[in-house]
């Protein structure tokens, strides 16, 4: 069964820093990987979707990479802002369901 | 972009009562919808896959008689928590699958906070 792990579980950084969130998965047979943002008590907001054939995707200050063979993905956030504070979830799509990671809780300190 | 709504956004009920949560795809048709459950500070766990016009497929360990799922139309799926108990208190999130050409994407609802007293 696919298992998705995210490290670190929590991260606190001063405003302006660049940071990297990590996601690893055990089964490389995935269709795509998606990064989500979740604010407290809210649903999910999709940030970036990487198809299995792609290596990275970029949107504004966000860049996500995918190394399917090693079962890893990273989310890079440049010039972090207090508004980036949230929980970030990665999820892999195995063809019939999403497998979600445990999440990284990010706090950006003004 | 595609929008998925959930109603209600939060609900408080007494133990033993039933609660219905609606999930709607507002601007697209979804033959498949998914229901997730999320406990505090934990990730989303898939409960069941809901297919329009057929019975839902439940994940192992999810009681289908307790969590009734109905997907009667291409834009609406409902989750009914029957005889709710305090341990059913959780955050329930649905998603709807939009299939468009070469890309399939899931869009998530805003979630429903259920508190059972």
């Amino acid at each position: 069964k696919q298992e998705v792990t995210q490290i670190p579980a929590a991260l606190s950084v001063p405003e302006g820093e660049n940071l990297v969130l990590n996601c690893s998965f055990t089964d490389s047979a995935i269709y795509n990987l998606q990064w989500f943002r979740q604010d407290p008590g809210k649903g999910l907001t999709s940030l970036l979707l990487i198809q299995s054939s792609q290596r990275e995707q970029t949107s504004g200050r966000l860049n996500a990479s995918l190394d399917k063979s090693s079962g890893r993905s990273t989310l890079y956030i440049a010039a972090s802002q207090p508004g980036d504070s949230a929980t970030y979830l990665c999820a892999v799509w195995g063809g019939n369901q999403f497998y979600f990671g445990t999440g990284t809780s990010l706090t950006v300190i003004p | 972009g595609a929008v998925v709504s959930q109603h209600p956004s939060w609900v408080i009920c007494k133990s033993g009562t039933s609660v219905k949560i609606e999930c709607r795809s507002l601007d697209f048709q979804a033959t498949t919808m998914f229901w997730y459950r999320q406990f505090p500070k934990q990730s989303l766990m898939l409960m069941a896959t809901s297919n329009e016009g057929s019975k839902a497929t439940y994940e192992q360990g999810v009681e289908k008689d307790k969590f009734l799922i109905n997907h009667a139309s291409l834009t609406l799926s409902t989750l009914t928590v029957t005889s709710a108990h305090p341990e059913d208190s959780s955050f329930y999130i649905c998603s709807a699958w939009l299939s468009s050409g070469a890309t399939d994407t899931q869009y998530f609802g805003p979630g429903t906070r259920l508190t059972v007293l």
Side-chain angles (χ1 to χ4, degrees):
Chain A
K1 181 183 177 182
Q2 180 74 268
E3 292 185 5
V4 183
T5 305
Q6 290 185 244
I7 295 174
L11 182 63
S12 183
V13 300
E15 180 177 4
E17 269 202 11
N18 303 324
L19 57 101
V20 175
L21 308 181
N22 297 289
C23 173
S24 61
F25 46 96
T26 55
D27 187 350
S28 61
I30 65 170
Y31 284 76
N32 59 56
L33 182 146
Q34 200 159 351
W35 283 92
F36 295 90
R37 169 185 174 140
Q38 185 176 31
D39 293 286
K42 303 293 184 181
L44 304 182
T45 300
S46 178
L47 298 174
L48 290 166
L49 167 67
I50 311 176
Q51 299 293 343
S52 62
S53 59
Q54 298 175 324
R55 298 283 290 182
E56 66 176 343
Q57 283 286 333
T58 299
S59 176
R61 293 183 294 108
L62 305 179
N63 176 276
S65 68
L66 173 63
D67 184 342
K68 200 172 74 162
S69 61
S70 67
R72 296 182 180 184
S73 176
T74 61
L75 178 65
Y76 175 82
I77 302 177
S80 58
Q81 303 171 357
D84 295 331
S85 298
T87 295
Y88 291 80
L89 296 166
C90 74
V92 297
W93 177 253
N96 58 1
Q97 70 168 296
F98 264 127
Y99 295 90
F100 280 87
T102 46
T104 293
S105 177
L106 172 65
T107 302
V108 180
I109 304 168
Chain B
V3 178
V4 175
S5 70
Q6 282 185 240
H7 178 79
S9 56
W10 59 270
V11 57
I12 300 173
C13 69
K14 293 182 179 180
S15 184
T17 60
S18 294
V19 174
K20 179 185 285 187
I21 302 170
E22 294 185 348
C23 176
R24 293 181 184 272
S25 54
L26 297 185
D27 47 5
F28 65 99
Q29 294 183 329
T31 56
T32 303
M33 292 185 174
F34 301 86
W35 286 96
Y36 298 85
R37 183 174 182 175
Q38 186 179 33
F39 291 103
K41 298 189 183 299
Q42 294 189 26
S43 192
L44 279 72
M45 298 298 295
L46 179 65
M47 298 175 66
T49 302
S50 170
N51 294 299
E52 187 267 336
S54 64
K55 292 183 178 181
T57 302
Y58 290 82
E59 294 300 302
Q60 190 173 8
V62 178
E63 299 177 61
K64 60 183 179 183
D65 293 331
K66 180 168 185 61
F67 298 99
L68 300 178
I69 293 173
N70 183 280
H71 194 157
S73 78
L74 289 172
T75 60
L76 174 64
S77 176
T78 61
L79 168 67
T80 301
V81 183
T82 63
S83 186
H85 287 91
E87 58 265 30
D88 299 325
S89 299
S90 189
F91 193 56
Y92 293 88
I93 300 178
C94 74
S95 69
W97 192 354
L98 173 59
S99 181
S100 57
T103 303
D104 292 341
T105 306
Q106 276 193 45
Y107 293 91
F108 286 80
T112 296
R113 171 74 59 193
L114 170 63
T115 301
V116 185
L117 303 178

